[in-house]
Amino acid sequence: MASPTLHDSRGGPDKLHGEPSSQEDEDSDSEDRTGDSGSCTSASSNDDDLEPEWLDSVQRNGELFYLELSEGEEESLLPETPTVNHVRFSENEIIIEEDDYKERKKHEPKLKRFTRILKSKKLLPKRYHKKSSNNDGPVSILKHQLNPKIGVTVHQRYKDVTVYVNPKNLTVTKAREQLKLLEVLVGIIHQTKWSWRRSGKQSDGERLVVHGLLPGGSAMKSGQVLIGDVLVAVNDVDVTSENIERVLSCIPGPMQVKLTFENAYAMKKETAQPKKKKKQSNANDLVKLLCGEAAEDIQQSVLVTPHIIMYLNLQLDSDSSKEEEILYHYPMSEASQKLKSVRGIFLTLCDMLENVTGTQVTSSSLLLKGKQIHVAYWKESDKLLLIGLPAEEVPLPQLRNMIEDVAQTLKFMYGSLDSAFCQVENVPRLDHFFSLFFQRALHPARQHLSASPSAQQYSAASSVLLDSLPGARWLTLPQEIKVELDTMLSDLEAADFAELSEDYYNIRRLYTILGSSLFYKGYLICSHLPKDDLIEIAVYCRHYCLLPLAAKQRIGQLIIWREVFPRHHLHPSTESDTDAFQEPEGRYFLLIVGLRHYVLCVLLEAGGCTSKATGNPGPDCVYVDQFRATLHRLEAVQSRIDERLASSTGPWLSCADWFLAGPRDKTDGLTTSPIISRLHGTSKAKTPPTCRRAIFSDYSFKTRKPSPSRGSGESEPGCEGEGIGLSPHTTPDAIPRQRESSGSEDSGTWLKASKKKSTLPNPFHLGNLKKELSEKELEIYNTMKLTSGPENTLFHYVALETVQGIFITPTHEEVAQLGGSVHSQLIKNFHQCCLSIRAFFQQTLVEEKKKALPGRDHADSSTPASSLSAVKEHGVLFECSPENWTDPKKSPPVLTYWVVGRLFLHPKPQELYVCFHDSVTEIAIEMAFKLFFGLTL
Amino acid sequence: MGEEGSGDTVHLLCLAASSGIPLFCRSSRGGAPTRQQLPFSVIGSLNGVHMFGQNLDVQLNSARTEDTTVVWKSFHDSITLIALSSEKGTSELRLERMLHMVFGAMVLIVGLEELTNIRNVERLKKELRASYRLIDSFLGDSELIGDLTQCVDCVIPPEGSLLQETLSGFAEATGTAFVSLLVSGRVVAATEGWWRLGMPEAVLLPWLVGSLPPQAARDYPVYLPHGSPTVPHRLLTLTLLPSLELCLLCGPRPSLSQLNPQLLERWWLPLLDPLRGCLALGPRALPDGFPLHADILGLLLLHLELKRCVFTVEPLRDKEPSPEQRRRLLRNFYTLVATTHFPSGPTEKTEDGVRPAQMPRACYLVLGPGTGWQLVALQLGLRLLLLLLSPQSPTHGLRSLATHTLHSLTPLL
């Protein structure tokens, strides 16, 4: 049994739903058939079942979103997971499901056919049973979600549930360290500590929120208690967390007890997650839970912020009923209702401004209850997509990128916006999509999970910029690992394995593999996909938070299968001549298989040279298993990639905190070298980065940080020597070296800290350190220093390569190693600044595109460049000081740094954003050359 | 309308908020006033969406299409101003400030009372005609930048102290506290009282004088939008030399006849040469021979507390780009700097001891491809300097160049 937290135990739901539990198919007769919602199956209980556990999660349209956390994750989660859910299943859909069930069976044989063949030949690899089946039943949340009976439209505020309670059972149950009657008697898990943490609002005794249900407990058996409900009374006695134990202990013997619950979902039904993706939403809840926050709270706090997505029809029928023009909108909260009610503004603006100006409306701003809201428009044929978000959370340039992303992703997933929004069965999926979207927009930090808070901070800060970059985050790897990965992916893409070869079964191959890309811990490490496909897949993964998920070890098994509509294949550029390759009129499928830290995304094509896809095919086991096998093989490389991550080859970074001049240094500006005084500070105190880093940076790195030597014994002699070289007597040397030309008032002296360092850095001069180097370490020695001075002054960078659709930026590990409170502020500011810089570049690119178009140039030539729409470089100088400077007498130390963005149009568009200390005059082109050199997929 | 509206057109609509009756519509195209106007249906729906939102407690502020920006602003719940601009590089900030200036100009001419309490729309329309010239100057290209920066355009006279002394003496002699010397809309020298004028009128008065047709002397009733929006004052102007005017802001006294030629001659004749020197200062702003770096093509210096600015695009006149382009570049750059990087000036620092952790100090922009002009902004203390530089200036030296220039300019403003 792989994932007790996520898997449904069989039986119960089926009967409740009245679904046929017997089937002709001998393989699956005993499985639960929950159709769409049934992404839960218990593989362990029928051991002879060779069907993959995800098979039953396949939806009737063939889609699959199956996620299983790895063993380690589950264990760590178990104590808290029961609190997870706000998953809801509306009754209508369950009914629909039953109808669809038959339909689904139609395409099933195809899928099973292979399985059966394989089974007979013992080819199907056995699944991993990570846990021995524990028979006392998995902690099933989902089951209870399934239970609300058809017709009970949940939404009255209070409900009474009668349960059978037998205190005598107490003796039977295992002794716990702390007797919790609520848990033991009723089967309701309420975690006091947990809720105490999140809400301090209840003064006396907190509300008894149902955080989980005990398997086999009476509450669970009743099937009416939902997680998130609040227990308000027992037999009409009001209860809180304070008195519950007392009240329950008064129950003399076996009896029926009436529990009154406040229905948590009555008020915010609209926030409920759709059921179809529940595996995934579960996982996200887990993600949020791990952050120490309750899903409900998140929903709640999101709800008070006005935000909306609407899809409106611009063609109005005069006789249509009320609100006919709204094809879709989300969410239903009160704050958003206001935005919905003024949709007339948006419709009018869209129509009128287009008539007046001849161009489409892109955005508008309005003031709602003192809050500025930006609304972005996306018009397609006669429909209008609108996204409104508060300005303080999402600046306008970001919002524009976001709406474009949304439109692109929806088209990728559904073919067109119309087919996405106009089909009723898509609504819950879209609800889910946009609930994720808004949480990402409004609470970026919650989506990012990292081991350390600093890394998490980094993720949150950088998502402002990185989420809108057209590309995937790339991790450069040493050549031989790359070759290895490439070979492995190529092997896979060749689809030459026995089971897939056409001769083997004498049937036509189902799919051609168009390309694959491999992510490790959220970094793209290998890709054989065309740029457009890669970007679309990366954006899809971003929307579903797959990459942050993989960043931690949390994926036991992830399988996503869906039909996709890659623009690049379906709408090839019109200019292509007839000789060019014609895309076959096929269908495309995306298969994402995740294992541990790896996520493998594969784009498959049906039609063309393979058999045509009919109906809604589900994922094929053979492909899934092959991909998984590849991922298993990749585990061999994992350690080496990890190593790479830990000691990245990217340019060396410095921590801003090291550069903060003390107050003394500030007052007499040029006389002392702040960095040196700083050094003595660091050498004693802070956690030094690993010594290896220190050694392998060029020696200027060491001048700044002799401290690491003290930390680790291995290289102590060498580092120590350098450290001594840094003793204060070098400081005077610095003064005459002050470059006159710089003309800056700030002390820029530290970089020429000592005479010794003024020679050109020689990367091959290792001195007495050399003997300590192992071979492996030598290998990563070729790290570069991006800045030009003898000191390393680079704080952060982002480089975007648009031809290949990738960008590079320091890894979480690197940033975590630097630490520093000022540094994290700096990084945040850097990303925000880059966002506004990038808005200029985007404008420039648009202008360039316009110029390239024939026929439009006459308009441009008449108006000479007097606007700032063609910007190639933009830099901003910032000054910062520590946040809480307590000494009132002295002014706080000041650090000045540049954030520079540079756009390269030729030969291919590239964007570079760097952040460096003010002391060195940097030339962005040089930095870009160093950074982009050798950056190829 | 769609195809011809694609140029750089600016439309300004003024409507009575309660009735929706258009009070006036002004348009400019390519920097010059034009008669081309929006059709009434468009005006109606532009006003309609704004009104509709207001009824639902949602205030529509702005909207953008790919090349056009629309800004709504309603004043005192009685006047709605709508600006629609398809100028390249236009921004909301520029339009918002323009609307403020326009409303200020309306108050200046007809007074706040008339505008908030509209009894006779037709009469108001007629009265507002007097403000068209001033309002049109905000729509089109102007040599001044005060409308955008909300700082008074100044020039630095070579013999400033002499002029200043004379001006103070003259003010005393005439019994007026508010006196200034203007050259083509820019302030050469002014009394303490004049500098203390509140914000819209400090910019509006020189602007008004600059926009009026040349006359030897005027006696013009003005309301002060900030200082006295309901009680009119008298603005007296006396032309000392062509385009060099002496302005007095006063109550009932002194009458224009009191300022007889003898009085003027007594005070100003001795200064004829310095005054003549001021004439050329108009567009150049800085005294002749002021050492500026050879790469500087345009300059804008703002004093954020005194609310004064010096703006010139004169250096190296003969070189590309043309003065109009330079002005636009600097205007656009100012907008960028003011919106993204230095949004609120120095005020936040003085308010409370807490300094924001990350303070922008300088920024630069390299334009390209093809042009390579560079723009740099630097804030030091209360001064903000913006420079337009030629392409040959090295990018990494921009900051030091700006610092040097700012230091040399500091004593002047």
Side-chain angles (χ1 to χ4, degrees):
Chain A
M1 180 53 221
S3 116
T5 48
L6 299 177
H7 281 216
D8 196 359
S9 66
R10 62 190 46 256
D14 297 339
K15 277 153 209 151
L16 278 167
H17 294 216
E19 289 191 9
S21 59
S22 69
Q23 290 175 21
E24 293 79 26
D25 199 327
E26 72 284 340
D27 280 337
S28 52
D29 54 353
S30 64
E31 295 185 16
D32 35 338
R33 284 277 159 213
T34 44
D36 287 11
S37 58
S39 40
C40 32
T41 165
S42 160
S44 58
S45 31
N46 50 344
D47 287 327
D48 55 342
D49 177 22
L50 272 171
E51 301 224 331
E53 51 272 39
W54 45 262
L55 205 58
D56 285 300
S57 317
V58 180
Q59 298 176 26
R60 69 194 158 78
N61 57 2
E63 281 176 21
L64 169 67
F65 201 119
Y66 180 85
L67 175 67
E68 207 179 274
L69 293 189
S70 67
E71 199 178 332
E73 292 299 330
E74 280 155 22
E75 271 162 7
S76 67
L77 281 176
L78 254 175
E80 349 178 22
T81 28
T83 56
V84 182
N85 256 297
H86 50 228
V87 178
R88 284 219 52 79
F89 307 118
S90 84
E91 290 65 40
N92 325 354
E93 290 186 38
I94 290 168
I95 296 164
I96 290 169
E97 228 164 79
E98 283 171 337
D99 299 338
D100 293 329
Y101 173 54
K102 288 180 193 78
E103 187 188 311
R104 194 195 138 192
K105 271 203 290 189
K106 279 180 220 151
H107 61 256
E108 202 143 321
K110 190 175 183 181
L111 218 132
K112 300 228 161 159
R113 189 181 54 202
F114 261 101
T115 324
R116 225 172 298 138
I117 296 166
L118 298 175
K119 192 162 125 189
S120 61
K121 306 203 182 231
K122 300 272 175 224
L123 281 171
L124 203 63
K126 210 156 160 49
R127 285 182 310 283
Y128 303 90
H129 295 278
K130 289 189 220 89
K131 265 185 189 165
S132 59
S133 49
N134 42 354
N135 284 325
D136 46 59
V139 185
S140 168
I141 299 145
L142 303 173
K143 181 176 167 185
H144 305 284
Q145 301 301 325
L146 294 170
N147 281 341
K149 292 199 179 105
I150 294 161
V152 181
T153 26
V154 203
H155 308 118
Q156 70 265 39
R157 178 144 185 199
Y158 293 101
K159 63 179 173 194
D160 291 339
V161 178
T162 318
V163 296
Y164 174 75
V165 172
N166 186 359
K168 299 210 168 112
N169 277 354
L170 282 182
T171 49
V172 186
T173 45
K174 277 190 290 186
R176 285 162 193 262
E177 63 278 5
Q178 191 187 0
L179 196 67
K180 287 173 101 180
L181 287 171
L182 183 63
E183 208 164 302
V184 182
L185 274 181
V186 193
I188 290 174
I189 298 167
H190 167 76
Q191 281 167 337
T192 10
K193 201 178 104 199
W194 180 77
S195 49
W196 163 79
R197 202 195 312 153
R198 72 196 175 100
S199 70
K201 49 195 173 210
Q202 263 77 32
S203 49
D204 50 339
E206 331 158 336
R207 288 147 63 86
L208 277 163
V209 180
V210 178
H211 291 148
L213 296 171
L214 213 61
S218 13
M220 179 181 261
K221 280 182 196 149
S222 79
Q224 291 172 48
V225 183
L226 300 180
I227 289 166
D229 288 349
V230 182
L231 179 60
V232 290
V234 176
N235 278 350
D236 296 326
V237 178
D238 286 353
V239 289
T240 63
S241 67
E242 271 193 351
N243 64 357
I244 181 69
E245 296 292 303
R246 252 182 298 135
V247 171
L248 287 177
S249 63
C250 294
I251 299 172
M255 63 182 290
Q256 296 277 337
V257 176
K258 189 177 84 176
L259 305 177
T260 309
F261 291 94
E262 188 180 333
N263 193 329
Y265 295 101
M267 277 84 69
K268 41 181 174 98
K269 151 198 169 202
E270 65 278 356
T271 70
Q273 300 277 348
K275 55 175 188 157
K276 306 220 171 172
K277 299 262 170 64
K278 67 175 178 186
K279 279 292 177 191
Q280 207 268 340
S281 60
N282 261 343
N284 274 307
D285 292 347
L286 294 181
V287 165
K288 282 158 210 153
L289 260 187
L290 276 183
C291 291
E293 290 150 323
E296 288 165 44
D297 278 2
I298 293 178
Q299 294 282 353
Q300 215 96 64
S301 65
V302 163
L303 281 187
V304 297
T305 337
H307 61 283
I308 199 166
I309 155 100
M310 277 193 284
Y311 192 63
L312 304 176
N313 195 346
L314 293 173
Q315 305 246 296
L316 300 181
D317 291 334
S318 53
D319 56 342
S320 65
S321 58
K322 203 174 153 248
E323 303 201 340
E324 185 81 343
E325 73 276 11
I326 303 180
L327 299 171
Y328 174 81
H329 77 124
Y330 179 90
M332 309 275 201
S333 66
E334 204 181 314
S336 313
Q337 212 61 30
K338 196 90 206 184
L339 282 170
K340 187 182 138 203
S341 67
V342 295
R343 62 189 177 278
I345 293 182
F346 311 133
L347 289 169
T348 314
L349 283 180
C350 175
D351 185 57
M352 173 197 42
L353 286 183
E354 195 179 334
N355 285 340
V356 174
T357 66
T359 52
Q360 295 193 347
V361 115
T362 54
S363 63
S364 60
S365 316
L366 29 89
L367 217 56
L368 180 67
K369 290 183 193 141
K371 237 181 178 181
Q372 201 189 11
I373 314 272
H374 290 311
V375 181
Y377 296 64
W378 186 270
K379 193 184 169 199
E380 212 155 274
S381 63
D382 56 349
K383 307 288 197 313
L384 180 64
L385 175 68
L386 290 170
I387 296 181
L389 279 168
E392 59 180 23
E393 322 263 359
V394 181
L396 190 56
Q398 195 192 352
L399 183 63
R400 280 190 192 161
N401 292 333
M402 280 161 80
I403 197 169
E404 199 179 337
D405 256 12
V406 165
Q408 194 189 339
T409 313
L410 287 177
K411 279 193 239 169
F412 178 65
M413 289 165 65
Y414 297 102
S416 69
L417 292 185
D418 268 349
S419 60
F421 285 109
C422 299
Q423 284 167 16
V424 185
E425 71 264 24
N426 281 342
V427 168
R429 288 175 233 198
L430 290 173
D431 283 351
H432 175 242
F433 180 88
F434 286 110
S435 86
L436 283 178
F437 171 79
F438 283 123
Q439 288 187 21
R440 222 155 48 93
L442 299 171
H443 299 282
R446 286 178 173 141
Q447 298 281 333
H448 295 281
L449 248 296
S450 299
S452 62
S454 74
Q456 190 182 327
Q457 233 174 358
Y458 171 47
S459 314
S462 59
S463 68
V464 172
L465 176 74
L466 301 188
D467 275 4
S468 61
L469 289 182
R473 190 173 191 160
W474 171 253
L475 178 71
T476 45
L477 289 173
Q479 196 61 33
E480 74 272 7
I481 302 183
K482 226 173 101 181
V483 168
E484 210 166 310
L485 293 174
D486 275 331
T487 322
M488 247 185 260
L489 284 197
S490 302
D491 284 351
L492 180 74
E493 284 155 9
D496 218 7
F497 23 91
E499 301 93 320
L500 277 193
S501 74
E502 291 181 358
D503 309 330
Y504 200 79
Y505 296 117
N506 217 7
I507 41 172
R508 220 167 168 194
R509 200 174 278 191
L510 291 177
Y511 308 107
T512 321
I513 300 179
L514 288 183
S516 56
S517 57
L518 182 65
F519 292 86
Y520 180 74
K521 286 191 178 176
Y523 300 95
L524 178 69
I525 52 174
C526 193
S527 172
H528 292 176
L529 281 168
K531 169 206 159 197
D532 299 280
D533 294 342
L534 174 67
I535 291 175
E536 279 175 324
I537 290 175
V539 175
Y540 174 82
C541 292
R542 198 188 290 152
H543 269 285
Y544 283 98
C545 318
L546 298 180
L547 300 180
L549 200 69
K552 276 201 97 193
Q553 166 145 354
R554 21 182 54 240
I555 301 181
Q557 180 172 340
L558 166 75
I559 297 163
I560 297 171
W561 168 270
R562 65 171 307 129
E563 180 165 14
V564 292
F565 304 87
R567 191 183 39 178
H568 168 63
H569 296 283
L570 293 171
H571 313 286
S573 54
T574 46
E575 303 138 41
S576 60
D577 52 318
T578 45
D579 295 339
F581 172 70
Q582 296 288 312
E583 293 283 348
E585 284 181 19
R587 290 170 63 182
Y588 299 88
F589 294 91
L590 173 67
L591 178 57
I592 299 179
V593 179
L595 189 69
R596 313 257 149 84
H597 294 308
Y598 288 109
V599 175
L600 178 66
C601 306
V602 187
L603 192 63
L604 301 165
E605 181 190 76
C609 64
T610 51
S611 60
K612 282 222 177 349
T614 50
N616 294 315
D620 193 279
C621 310
V622 177
Y623 285 89
V624 172
D625 286 329
Q626 277 303 330
F627 295 158
R628 216 157 38 173
T630 309
L631 289 183
H632 275 292
R633 259 179 288 156
L634 281 170
E635 272 168 34
V637 203
Q638 187 170 341
S639 62
R640 279 190 280 165
I641 302 175
D642 271 333
E643 211 168 81
R644 199 55 161 189
L645 269 176
S647 57
S648 173
T649 50
W652 287 118
L653 300 176
S654 296
C655 178
D657 298 59
W658 300 335
F659 287 78
L660 264 182
R664 179 179 52 92
D665 301 309
K666 207 212 164 196
T667 49
D668 47 3
L670 299 176
T671 53
T672 45
S673 160
I675 191 63
I676 287 174
S677 59
R678 192 74 202 155
L679 274 181
H680 296 296
T682 30
S683 61
K684 272 156 218 143
K686 293 257 175 154
T687 49
T690 63
C691 192
R692 196 168 52 166
R693 278 186 63 108
I695 299 166
F696 292 103
S697 64
D698 56 47
Y699 59 75
S700 64
F701 187 78
K702 279 173 276 161
T703 68
R704 194 186 59 237
K705 298 189 322 109
S707 47
S709 62
R710 315 232 165 112
S712 75
E714 180 191 41
S715 53
E716 199 164 319
C719 286
E720 204 66 65
E722 290 295 330
I724 290 159
L726 258 181
S727 56
H729 67 77
T730 55
T731 318
D733 292 358
I735 302 153
R737 285 175 180 276
Q738 172 72 10
R739 205 179 288 171
E740 284 104 32
S741 69
S742 84
S744 71
E745 302 172 309
D746 334 84
S747 62
T749 39
W750 54 269
L751 72 148
K752 296 108 191 170
S754 76
K755 206 189 267 172
K756 214 158 128 194
K757 309 303 181 275
S758 61
T759 53
L760 274 174
N762 177 1
F764 298 103
H765 173 70
L766 283 171
N768 54 355
L769 297 179
K770 206 160 190 170
K771 51 183 173 286
E772 263 119 27
L773 307 174
S774 75
E775 225 171 287
K776 202 168 57 191
E777 286 167 333
L778 268 174
E779 187 186 298
I780 56 157
Y781 181 58
N782 54 2
T783 351
M784 55 184 161
K785 189 162 69 63
L786 213 55
T787 51
S788 52
E791 266 296 346
N792 182 28
T793 55
L794 183 71
F795 293 141
H796 207 77
Y797 65 90
V798 173
L800 173 72
E801 226 285 29
T802 54
V803 169
Q804 302 177 93
I806 53 170
F807 64 85
I808 53 167
T809 185
T811 61
H812 292 85
E813 284 80 358
E814 278 180 88
V815 176
Q817 273 172 7
L818 295 175
S821 62
V822 177
H823 193 71
S824 61
Q825 279 176 31
L826 176 142
I827 284 181
K828 189 158 182 249
N829 189 42
F830 167 76
H831 284 101
Q832 260 152 12
C833 184
C834 287
L835 184 73
S836 53
I837 295 178
R838 180 149 198 274
F840 285 101
F841 292 166
Q842 279 174 309
Q843 219 177 339
T844 309
L845 287 169
V846 168
E847 292 291 316
E848 279 298 299
K849 228 174 264 172
K850 263 191 210 162
K851 256 186 233 168
L853 285 177
R856 285 293 303 261
D857 51 353
H858 57 85
D860 283 322
S861 55
S862 61
T863 52
S866 56
S867 68
L868 302 178
S869 59
V871 176
K872 65 178 180 186
E873 188 173 327
H874 187 12
V876 186
L877 182 77
F878 285 97
E879 203 169 80
C880 81
S881 44
E883 215 164 31
N884 29 29
W885 186 255
T886 43
D887 196 344
K889 281 176 196 160
K890 293 169 189 165
S891 61
V894 170
L895 166 78
T896 47
Y897 62 92
W898 283 99
V899 176
V900 175
R902 169 93 195 188
L903 172 72
F904 299 87
L905 287 167
H906 305 290
K908 44 193 180 173
Q910 289 174 331
E911 290 169 32
L912 170 75
Y913 304 91
V914 284
C915 177
F916 53 85
H917 193 264
D918 175 42
S919 55
V920 192
T921 50
E922 294 296 346
I923 297 165
I925 309 170
E926 279 179 17
M927 291 178 124
F929 180 76
K930 286 189 209 165
L931 206 53
F932 283 112
F933 185 75
L935 181 66
T936 45
L937 273 175
Chain B
M1 167 78 228
E3 65 283 347
E4 50 184 346
S6 61
D8 41 0
T9 326
V10 186
H11 294 286
L12 173 75
L13 314 173
C14 175
L15 299 106
S18 51
S19 55
I21 300 173
L23 296 177
F24 64 82
C25 305
R26 309 301 299 170
S27 306
S28 92
R29 190 187 170 90
T34 169
R35 297 197 64 81
Q36 169 205 352
Q37 285 200 343
L38 291 172
F40 185 75
S41 62
V42 173
I43 299 175
S45 21
L46 278 174
N47 185 45
V49 281
H50 185 246
M51 281 224 298
F52 169 65
Q54 249 173 351
N55 292 338
L56 289 168
D57 288 329
V58 172
Q59 195 189 323
L60 180 64
N61 285 334
S62 61
R64 289 151 294 264
T65 74
E66 279 150 37
D67 64 353
T68 308
T69 309
V70 188
V71 171
W72 288 262
K73 187 96 200 159
S74 94
F75 295 88
H76 299 275
D77 286 331
S78 87
I79 300 282
T80 304
L81 290 177
I82 305 169
L84 184 144
S85 164
S86 55
E87 264 179 343
K88 269 192 147 212
T90 196
S91 73
E92 278 158 62
L93 183 86
R94 141 126 168 91
L95 293 182
E96 270 164 27
R97 293 199 171 167
M98 183 182 93
L99 292 186
H100 272 285
M101 293 309 277
V102 168
F103 185 72
M106 289 161 66
V107 175
L108 192 80
I109 305 297
V110 302
L112 191 61
E113 187 66 30
E114 287 283 318
L115 294 172
T116 49
N117 197 357
I118 304 171
R119 285 187 214 92
N120 188 338
V121 176
E122 291 309 312
R123 209 185 74 202
L124 179 62
K125 274 188 188 173
K126 264 191 206 113
E127 282 177 3
L128 280 173
R129 267 185 210 160
S131 64
Y132 285 178
R133 269 187 86 107
L134 182 54
I135 287 169
D136 283 348
S137 69
F138 295 126
L139 298 190
D141 278 344
S142 171
E143 287 192 358
L144 309 179
I145 202 169
D147 58 330
L148 180 63
T149 60
Q150 305 199 302
C151 295
V152 185
D153 280 283
C154 301
V155 295
I156 312 289
E159 288 162 90
S161 53
L162 188 60
L163 289 172
Q164 190 70 48
E165 273 169 32
T166 317
L167 197 70
S168 312
F170 179 76
E172 229 168 274
T174 52
T176 340
F178 307 94
V179 185
S180 71
L181 190 62
L182 306 179
V183 56
S184 48
R186 300 167 180 84
V187 177
V188 182
T191 57
E192 282 296 311
W194 184 277
W195 285 128
R196 275 202 301 273
L197 284 175
M199 203 41 239
E201 53 259 35
V203 174
L204 279 169
L205 288 176
W207 205 289
L208 172 71
V209 174
S211 75
L212 291 173
Q215 266 161 359
R218 300 184 195 93
D219 190 345
Y220 205 91
V222 290
Y223 298 83
L224 303 181
H226 177 76
S228 123
T230 46
V231 181
H233 284 66
R234 288 166 65 224
L235 178 70
L236 304 179
T237 70
L238 302 158
T239 306
L240 299 182
L241 289 166
S243 86
L244 184 73
E245 284 169 284
L246 195 61
C247 295
L248 291 85
L249 192 65
C250 51
R253 289 176 45 78
S255 66
L256 192 57
S257 55
Q258 271 178 296
L259 305 169
N260 47 32
Q262 289 80 13
L263 186 73
L264 289 182
E265 267 171 33
R266 181 151 55 89
W267 283 100
W268 294 102
L269 204 55
L271 271 77
L272 195 56
D273 279 337
L275 287 177
R276 281 215 176 95
C278 289
L279 283 185
L281 274 180
R284 211 174 54 218
L286 294 174
D288 217 5
F290 183 83
L292 271 188
H293 194 279
D295 286 338
I296 295 175
L297 300 176
L299 175 148
L300 170 63
L301 175 68
L302 299 131
H303 195 292
L304 300 168
E305 201 175 60
L306 296 178
K307 292 275 174 200
R308 296 180 208 173
C309 67
V310 174
F311 178 47
T312 175
V313 291
E314 284 301 295
L316 306 165
R317 241 207 115 96
D318 40 336
K319 275 200 188 168
E320 277 285 296
S322 66
E324 289 75 32
Q325 271 184 353
R326 294 185 193 187
R327 265 195 286 273
R328 286 198 176 190
L329 281 170
L330 273 171
R331 284 183 85 102
N332 287 333
F333 187 52
Y334 172 80
T335 323
L336 155 76
V337 164
T339 38
T340 26
H341 301 309
F342 307 105
S344 45
T347 44
E348 60 194 319
K349 220 167 79 182
T350 47
E351 270 171 21
D352 43 0
V354 185
R355 295 154 50 102
Q358 317 277 329
M359 290 278 291
R361 284 278 160 253
C363 77
Y364 70 87
L365 207 61
V366 182
L367 297 183
T371 56
W373 296 314
Q374 305 176 79
L375 291 145
V376 60
L378 177 75
Q379 183 168 11
L380 270 184
L382 294 168
R383 289 179 182 81
L384 176 64
L385 175 72
L386 283 79
L387 293 177
L388 171 66
L389 296 155
S390 64
Q392 74 250 23
S393 188
T395 307
H396 54 81
L398 290 180
R399 180 168 170 243
S400 55
L401 198 157
T403 315
H404 276 141
T405 312
L406 186 54
H407 279 306
S408 61
L409 285 169
T410 301
L412 300 181
L413 192 70

